[in-house]
Amino acid sequence: MASAILTASTRGFQNATSYDRHRPSFPASAVDSLLRHLQVHAVKGARIVDLAAGTGKFTQLLSEREEGYEIIAVEPHDTMRAELERKRFERVRVLKGWASEMVGVESQNVDAVIAAQAFHWFANMEALEEIYRVLIPGGVFGMIWNVEDYNGPKSWQPTTEWEGRLKDIVWASQDTENRFRHEQWRQVFEGQLQSTPLTIQSADPLFSLPLGEDNVKFTHWLSPESVWERYHTLSQFAVLEGDELADTKRKVFEALAGPEVKKNEKGEVALHGQTFSAWTTAIPGAPLKSGG
């Protein structure tokens, strides 16, 4: 299962520098809220795993906080991890690992595990079991995503017409990978309780339900070119070449040139979205089906 997330994401995330430059950081209010729910806010020296840390967008926010967290940043992709290591954040140990194989992280050793912009890639029981293994009893697993209006679930209404057109392009793309917008990542938590009349007595969940959830809306003012650069970091578009890439870029700029698009004095447009977070507590004493 270690290779489970190394599918389309591997190619889509090869340009780690572009990803790091154009993907946004996370709002301070959303980070504070999540850390409170993870019970590590204002806890000096709390131990945290930043799982699938990527280029370190969230790692940096943890490293710079006054709590002085001890952080283990786990990242499987070599190019993303190299970008993260280059930054040399304080109190951060960087490991090559996967959600299902956090080699080098001891059992029941960390207070919280956080997956920022990532859990949809590995939302399976193998990953949940491994996250449960490294958490202390009663530790908390948190997930957080920045979700632009154009990349949200179908049920989320875009703020503007042009963002709706960009969302239509996203949903029309030939994309078979699980993304946050598909909301299938929730199923692994619900699946903990699946049982038959013969197994109902042994349906022991690892993590509490229902999930806690929160969201914080954001607005970023960007030039049309910067909107495209951010849009292009979506892995299903980052792998495009030739005519497919040119056609997608043309559609994006046509949407941005629509008569309804409002711009400020710098020629920038308001890009809308929300930072969505969820969390769940590791249930003390729950049995690990695979032994961890």
Side-chain angles (χ1 to χ4, degrees):
M1 294 302 296
S3 62
I5 66 171
L6 301 181
T7 53
S9 64
T10 303
R11 294 181 298 136
F13 294 150
Q14 281 303 306
N15 193 341
T17 302
S18 177
Y19 180 98
D20 190 63
R21 181 184 304 119
H22 299 295
R23 284 290 179 101
S25 187
F26 296 84
S29 59
V31 175
D32 277 344
S33 175
L34 180 60
L35 294 178
R36 289 182 190 278
H37 290 298
L38 300 186
Q39 301 175 31
V40 292
H41 185 274
V43 178
K44 296 293 185 181
R47 294 160 297 178
I48 299 175
V49 166
D50 185 4
L51 180 57
T55 61
K57 288 286 188 179
F58 202 84
T59 316
Q60 180 175 2
L61 299 178
L62 294 175
S63 175
E64 293 175 348
R65 291 184 64 89
E66 295 180 354
E67 289 92 342
Y69 293 137
E70 296 180 19
I71 304 160
I72 303 173
V74 178
E75 171 54 41
H77 296 285
D78 293 340
T79 55
M80 302 287 271
R81 194 175 61 259
E83 185 72 16
L84 169 58
E85 290 175 327
R86 182 186 63 78
K87 297 175 180 178
R88 298 183 179 277
F89 295 133
E90 293 185 10
R91 301 178 308 280
V92 175
R93 181 160 62 105
V94 180
L95 298 178
K96 180 172 184 176
W98 294 263
S100 58
E101 296 180 44
M102 285 187 256
V103 178
V105 184
E106 297 180 5
S107 297
Q108 298 188 356
N109 185 251
V110 299
D111 302 288
V113 174
I114 302 173
Q117 213 72 24
F119 184 64
H120 54 279
W121 288 113
F122 46 82
N124 56 59
M125 277 306 301
E126 290 83 358
L128 276 195
E129 290 182 355
E130 181 70 347
I131 293 166
Y132 184 89
R133 179 187 69 81
V134 303
L135 281 169
I136 63 172
V140 189
F141 173 43
M143 299 147 277
I144 188 168
W145 290 268
N146 281 325
V147 187
E148 290 84 356
D149 278 8
Y150 59 66
N151 199 28
K154 285 186 176 179
S155 61
W156 291 12
Q157 183 64 37
T159 305
T160 64
E161 181 179 342
W162 71 265
E163 287 168 303
R165 292 177 64 185
L166 265 58
K167 183 176 182 179
D168 290 341
I169 299 170
V170 168
W171 277 95
S173 64
Q174 298 299 315
D175 180 22
T176 60
E177 300 293 330
N178 287 333
R179 312 284 179 176
F180 170 83
R181 64 177 177 272
H182 299 133
E183 300 191 280
Q184 294 180 12
W185 59 270
R186 296 178 180 274
Q187 295 176 6
V188 68
F189 297 103
E190 298 163 357
Q192 298 179 102
L193 303 180
Q194 289 180 356
S195 61
T196 70
L198 297 178
T199 63
I200 191 168
Q201 296 301 320
S202 61
D204 297 305
L206 302 178
F207 289 91
S208 62
L209 289 171
L211 299 177
E213 298 183 12
D214 192 17
N215 67 79
V216 175
K217 293 186 180 298
F218 63 75
T219 301
H220 296 155
W221 287 90
L222 300 173
S223 68
E225 185 64 33
S226 293
V227 172
W228 162 248
E229 293 291 354
R230 182 180 297 190
Y231 196 79
H232 189 211
T233 65
L234 296 178
S235 57
Q236 71 266 38
F237 297 136
V239 299
L240 296 181
E241 298 177 340
D243 291 344
E244 283 187 305
L245 176 60
D247 186 55
T248 300
K249 185 174 183 178
R250 175 184 59 78
K251 291 176 180 177
V252 169
F253 277 95
E254 283 179 354
L256 285 163
E260 81 286 354
V261 178
K262 296 181 180 180
K263 298 180 179 180
N264 63 15
E265 64 279 2
K266 297 180 181 179
E268 298 168 327
V269 299
L271 184 68
H272 303 91
Q274 62 179 276
T275 300
F276 176 90
S277 59
W279 58 90
T280 178
T281 301
I283 299 173
L288 281 173
K289 297 176 178 61
S290 66

